[in-house]
Amino acid sequence: MAKLRAAIIGCGFISPAHLGGYAKLDQVEVVGFCDLLTERAEEKAAKFGAPGAKVFSDYQKMLDEVKPDIVSVCTENNKHCELTVAALESGAHVLCEKPMAITGAEADKMVAAAKKAGKKLSVGYQLRYTNEAMLLRREIEAGKLGKVYYAEAAAVRRRGVPTWGVFLNKEKQGGGPLIDIGTHLVDRTLWLMDEYSPIVSAVGNVYDHLIPLGGYNNGGPWDIGRFEVEDSAFGAVTFKSGATLVVKATWAANVKDVDSSLSLLLGINGGAELNNSDLVLNGESCNHLWQYKPEAFHNDESPYDREIAAWINAVENDKEPIVKAEQAAHVVKVLEAIYKSARAGGTAVTY
Ligand SMILES: NC(=O)c1ccc[n+]([C@@H]2O[C@H](COP(=O)([O-])OP(=O)(O)OC[C@H]3O[C@@H](n4cnc5c(N)ncnc54)[C@H](O)[C@@H]3O)[C@@H](O)[C@H]2O)c1
C-alpha cells in the first residue's frame, strides 16, 4: 500500500515531536520540509526525511509541488490559521500545533475550511495521551464521577518563561502563559469533563508584575525589553450546562511547586485530581470516604508518539480524530473570553 506523504511547515523546537512520531510509523514518509529559515528545514529533512525529500521556504510552493496527504503546522500561533487553511485547500489533512489559533473567529474559519475541503483537522494536545489522563477519561466514561459541575485547569510554573522563539511577542503568539500552556490544561480538563456547551460568561485578569524583576528562570534569563505578554493569568468561565471552570496559568509566580499541570474535577458521584502524573479519585460510598490511586504505570511510551499514531489512525481509517477541531476551537474561545475580560479591567463578559 502507498505510504501517506507528510509535510511540515515550521521546523523549530516542537517539530521533532511530530517528525519523530511519523518516523516510527512504517505507513508514513515525510517528503516536504518548510521553514522561513531554510537551514532548519534542511537539518530536519536530513534527519527525518524520506529519500528525495524536498526543502522549501515558501509553504504554498511546497503544497503545490509536493501535494502532501498530511501536513503538520508547527509555526508560531498567528500563522496557524493561514497555513492550516492553505494546506486544507491544497487537499491535505492537517495536524496543527496548539493553540489552534489566537481568536475564535480564526478557529471557526479553520473548522469551516476542513468541512469544505472534506479533510481532517486536529490539534496537538499531547496531554490527553498520558497514561493517567487516558485512565481518568475511561473512569469518567464509566460513570465514576457522574456529572462534573466544577473544574480547575491550572498550568502553573514557578519560573518557567520560554526564552526561545517568539513566545514573548504579543502579535505572534497572542498572549503569554494563558494561551501557551493554559491552553493544554483547558483542553484536557474540558475533554475529561466533556464540556462543550456554549460559554455564558467569563471573568479574568492578567498580570505582568514579575516580568520587570528578572532574576532566576529555569531556561535562563528572559529579556525584559522583549516581554510583551502577561506572566500570569487567572479566570473563571461558566457554561450553558451550568458548569464552572477556573483557569490559572503562569510562567512566573511565587508558588511552591516548580511546575504543575492540574485538572481538578468535581462530579456528583466523585472527584478527581490529576496533577502532573499524580492521579487521585475520591468520593463517598457505603458511608465511607474513599480515595483511589492507580499503581504507577510501567508504560512510558511518549504522549507525542501516541498523538501522532492516533492522528495517522484517524486519517488512515477515516475516523474522527481524538482531538476534534471543534473542541480545540472551543478552547480558543474560553481563552479569548478570559483575555477579553482582562482587557475590560476584569469585568465580566457575557455571551
Ligand atoms: N505541544 C506542545 O507542548 C508545544 C510545545 C512547544 C511549542 N508548541 C507550539 O508549536 C508552535 C511552534 O513553537 P516552537 O517552539 O516550535 O517555535 P520555534 O520558534 O522554535 O519554531 C517555529 C518555526 O516556524 C517557522 N515559521 C514561521 N512562520 C513560517 C512560515 N510562514 N513558513 C514556514 N516556516 C515558518 C520559524 O522560522 C521557526 O523556525 C507554537 O504554536 C507553539 O505554541 C507546542
Side-chain angles (χ1 to χ4, degrees):
M1 214 174 96
K3 290 190 181 214
L4 280 172
R5 299 170 66 257
I8 186 161
I9 311 176
C11 297
F13 175 83
I14 197 63
S15 64
H18 292 234
L19 296 168
Y22 292 137
K24 291 196 172 75
L25 301 172
D26 289 340
Q27 67 273 44
V28 184
E29 58 180 359
V30 190
V31 292
F33 293 79
C34 177
D35 200 295
L36 297 176
L37 305 171
T38 321
E39 64 275 16
R40 289 191 176 178
E42 274 163 1
E43 183 213 322
K44 297 301 182 307
K47 191 161 178 204
F48 297 102
K54 291 188 173 167
V55 164
F56 299 83
S57 58
D58 178 331
Y59 71 85
Q60 195 58 56
K61 202 159 174 246
M62 178 175 79
L63 296 174
D64 293 343
E65 264 186 45
V66 172
K67 296 195 176 23
D69 301 311
I70 50 177
V71 170
S72 278
V73 171
C74 297
T75 66
E76 46 256 39
N77 301 344
N78 72 336
K79 293 282 168 57
H80 288 183
C81 179
E82 173 191 329
L83 302 180
T84 296
V85 170
L88 288 164
E89 284 175 352
S90 81
H93 304 286
V94 178
L95 175 61
C96 177
E97 256 311 324
K98 64 76 196 166
M100 183 177 186
I102 292 177
T103 67
E106 285 177 323
D108 285 344
K109 201 171 158 190
M110 294 159 81
V111 171
K115 281 213 175 93
K116 189 165 173 219
K119 296 292 164 187
K120 296 192 193 303
L121 171 59
S122 188
V123 174
Y125 282 124
Q126 75 276 5
L127 290 194
R128 289 197 192 188
Y129 302 89
T130 66
N131 291 316
E132 298 78 15
M134 293 194 301
L135 173 63
L136 179 53
R137 167 82 182 192
R138 288 201 301 275
E139 292 287 8
I140 292 171
E141 280 170 356
K144 204 76 150 214
L145 304 196
K147 181 185 159 41
V148 176
Y149 52 88
Y150 174 84
E152 293 179 17
V156 175
R157 291 184 188 160
R158 192 170 180 179
R159 293 292 187 280
V161 178
T163 49
W164 74 92
V166 295
F167 286 88
L168 311 185
N169 181 306
K170 180 99 179 258
E171 192 200 328
K172 293 190 170 170
Q173 288 296 98
L178 182 60
I179 197 165
D180 179 40
I181 51 176
T183 189
H184 272 302
L185 279 302
V186 169
D187 173 70
R188 186 179 72 183
T189 308
L190 293 178
W191 169 69
L192 286 168
M193 63 197 291
D194 199 21
E195 178 50 70
Y196 295 103
S197 69
I199 298 168
V200 171
S201 71
V203 64
N205 258 320
V206 299
Y207 299 95
D208 54 11
H209 294 311
L210 272 54
I211 291 166
L213 305 180
Y216 178 85
N217 183 45
N218 282 343
W222 62 79
D223 185 344
I224 295 166
R226 282 176 57 229
F227 217 126
E228 300 171 2
V229 295
E230 81 275 3
D231 59 36
S232 53
F234 308 94
V237 179
T238 59
F239 298 97
K240 189 146 184 242
S241 68
T244 300
L245 175 72
V246 167
V247 181
K248 303 175 196 171
T250 76
W251 280 337
N254 290 319
V255 289
K256 176 171 66 68
D257 296 329
V258 171
D259 194 347
S260 68
S261 296
L262 172 77
S263 294
L264 179 151
L265 307 165
L266 299 187
I268 296 168
N269 301 343
E273 275 188 52
L274 174 55
N275 192 355
N276 299 335
S277 55
D278 292 331
L279 172 61
V280 184
L281 282 87
N282 42 270
E284 186 276 343
S285 65
C286 301
N287 204 26
H288 195 78
L289 298 176
W290 52 260
Q291 277 200 342
Y292 158 63
K293 291 188 196 184
E295 296 284 326
F297 286 91
H298 299 294
N299 181 344
D300 59 357
E301 194 184 8
S302 147
Y304 287 111
D305 288 351
R306 284 187 180 151
E307 168 184 286
I308 297 298
W311 164 237
I312 294 302
N313 181 32
V315 169
E316 272 199 311
N317 299 303
D318 196 16
K319 295 203 293 209
E320 274 249 63
I322 289 178
V323 178
K324 299 181 180 60
E326 291 82 355
Q327 296 174 336
H330 190 60
V331 174
V332 171
K333 289 170 193 174
V334 166
L335 304 178
E336 188 177 43
I338 295 172
Y339 278 130
K340 198 171 169 191
S341 168
R343 281 197 302 276
T347 54
V349 294
T350 51
Y351 289 82

